[in-house]
Amino acid sequence: MKRSNVLVYALLLACSIALMCIWYLFGFDALNPTPYYLIIVLWWVVIVICAVILVRSEMARRRALRTVYVSRSRLFNIETGLVNLRGSEQYVPSIQGILNRLRYGFNSKSAPNIGEMGFVYVVHTAHFSNGGAVWRGDVKNVNSKRVTPFSSREELARILTF
């Protein structure tokens, strides 16, 4: 969880406490209690919805950061940037190294033009843990638009052939 998300949660909690104090300060709690309970329930529903939106947007952002573009001689990741491969270097260990080094920060590298760089595959990683022992996602072939799912390093290595 990033610091900005925690700050938003803290702000929502502070607003809740401030509104509750104002509610009691003006004596609204002495009025008919039915609207009071309705307002409390609605406010906490809003807070829960905001929390769900924040968590989902963070998950989507992390999924986007785990995307790697693959060409014959280069890899590109939005956090790592352009990585040149040596002639005998294999794709899967290089992609695994990129994913291991991700910090999920907010600094990103400018994306090259996919057509100009000759990227052939786009590797979307849905789940990556234990240094690649658990690795699931899909590979999209840029030319044929075919999407092939994978659930291990070996399957990914079979898919990434030129």
Side-chain angles (χ1 to χ4, degrees):
M1 181 89 41
K2 288 293 178 188
R3 193 178 351 196
S4 60
N5 292 352
V6 173
L7 289 174
V8 170
Y9 292 139
L11 182 65
L12 286 172
L13 183 63
C15 286
S16 297
I17 292 170
L19 287 174
M20 189 170 59
C21 290
I22 290 170
W23 186 268
Y24 282 109
L25 181 69
F26 288 127
F28 290 135
D29 60 318
L31 301 174
N32 187 358
T34 305
Y36 171 69
Y37 294 123
L38 181 64
I39 290 172
I40 288 174
V41 168
L42 286 176
W43 178 251
W44 284 106
V45 165
V46 167
I47 288 178
V48 168
I49 289 172
C50 288
V52 167
I53 289 170
L54 279 173
V55 168
R56 285 184 178 246
S57 65
E58 178 67 14
M59 289 170 57
R61 187 185 74 82
R62 286 178 176 243
R63 248 190 324 271
L65 285 176
R66 288 191 302 263
T67 300
V68 178
Y69 297 88
V70 180
S71 75
R72 294 187 191 277
S73 61
R74 296 180 180 149
L75 301 174
F76 176 77
N77 172 271
I78 196 162
E79 186 174 292
T80 308
L82 201 58
V83 176
N84 291 318
L85 298 175
R86 295 180 230 7
S88 63
E89 203 167 356
Q90 294 181 350
Y91 299 103
V92 174
S94 300
I95 295 171
Q96 183 177 359
I98 289 172
L99 295 176
N100 277 327
R101 290 187 300 272
L102 285 180
R103 293 188 332 254
Y104 296 104
F106 289 98
N107 299 330
S108 61
K109 310 290 186 210
S110 60
N113 187 332
I114 292 175
E116 290 177 9
M117 297 303 293
F119 292 118
V120 179
Y121 296 108
V122 180
V123 179
H124 298 123
T125 300
H127 185 74
F128 183 84
S129 63
N130 298 334
V134 178
W135 193 355
R136 290 189 314 268
D138 60 68
V139 177
K140 180 178 181 180
N141 187 314
V142 175
N143 299 324
S144 69
K145 308 289 188 229
R146 195 176 98 196
V147 177
T148 309
F150 67 90
S151 59
S152 69
R153 290 173 44 110
E154 294 76 24
E155 286 182 27
L156 180 59
R158 277 193 298 264
I159 295 169
L160 296 178
T161 57
F162 287 94

